[in-house]
Amino acid sequence: EARTLRDRLVMELGFDPSTTDRDNIDYDPMRYWVLYIKHIRESYPSDSQKQFLVMERCARIFMARPFIVPTYQNDVRFIRTCILYADKTSNPSEVFKLMSKIKVGIKVSLFWVAWAWCAEKAQDFQFTEKIFQKALSV
């Protein structure tokens, strides 16, 4: 089954996580997602629904494939996309909890600062402190 998932990933994203050719920039699907999201944000600045859907799709595609997560686990581009997506959701804390659970972004300060900001915005100051403590322990 893992082989069929890999085959689907290669077909859907043009990316094979087992490759050793990491120097080929065309082999990085995150590059295309980042460019597409940038295009949508610049071309449709007032269409927040369209921006949300594109960021949601990117976050879900990469987080739903456990064998690709290690490749982008601490990639600032992916983490930033997930944070932008979380900011547009009705419950951003759930996105951060999922990211933490599957260990996406836990070694990048941007993740911890964004999660703490989200908790502080919700006036959950005790949880904000816990987030900062957890960030320091990682």
Side-chain angles (χ1 to χ4, degrees):
E1 178 165 320
R3 186 70 191 144
T4 57
L5 287 174
R6 259 200 186 101
D7 293 340
R8 282 185 51 212
L9 186 64
V10 170
M11 287 177 54
E12 289 177 25
L13 300 176
F15 176 74
D16 182 4
S18 64
T19 187
T20 56
D21 182 16
R22 298 280 187 231
D23 295 330
N24 185 353
I25 196 158
D26 289 336
Y27 214 67
D28 180 14
M30 184 55 65
R31 175 177 176 254
Y32 297 105
W33 276 104
V34 169
L35 291 172
Y36 183 52
I37 290 167
K38 181 181 177 189
H39 166 74
I40 293 295
R41 292 182 81 197
E42 290 173 355
S43 300
Y44 309 99
S46 62
D47 191 349
S48 59
Q49 179 67 17
K50 185 175 258 188
Q51 292 176 23
F52 172 79
L53 292 174
V54 170
M55 286 184 266
E56 178 183 41
R57 187 167 175 219
C58 176
R60 287 181 186 260
I61 282 175
F62 284 90
M63 282 197 252
R65 291 168 170 80
F67 52 89
I68 196 171
V69 168
T71 308
Y72 292 102
Q73 198 167 25
N74 293 300
D75 188 316
V76 176
R77 302 169 303 167
F78 179 52
I79 294 161
R80 184 174 180 274
T81 300
C82 291
I83 290 169
L84 290 170
Y85 161 63
D87 188 48
K88 292 185 180 293
T89 64
S90 59
N91 192 356
S93 186
E94 291 301 315
V95 176
F96 288 108
K97 286 177 185 173
L98 174 63
M99 290 173 69
S100 177
K101 181 179 177 182
I102 62 174
K103 298 185 180 356
V104 169
I106 61 170
K107 294 189 178 179
V108 178
S109 60
L110 177 64
F111 166 74
W112 296 105
V113 170
W115 193 3
W117 179 80
C118 171
E120 190 172 324
K121 191 167 105 175
Q123 297 187 352
D124 191 349
F125 302 112
Q126 287 183 327
F127 189 58
T128 302
E129 182 64 29
K130 285 181 184 179
I131 291 169
F132 280 127
Q133 292 303 319
K134 179 140 175 128
L136 292 172
S137 69
V138 174

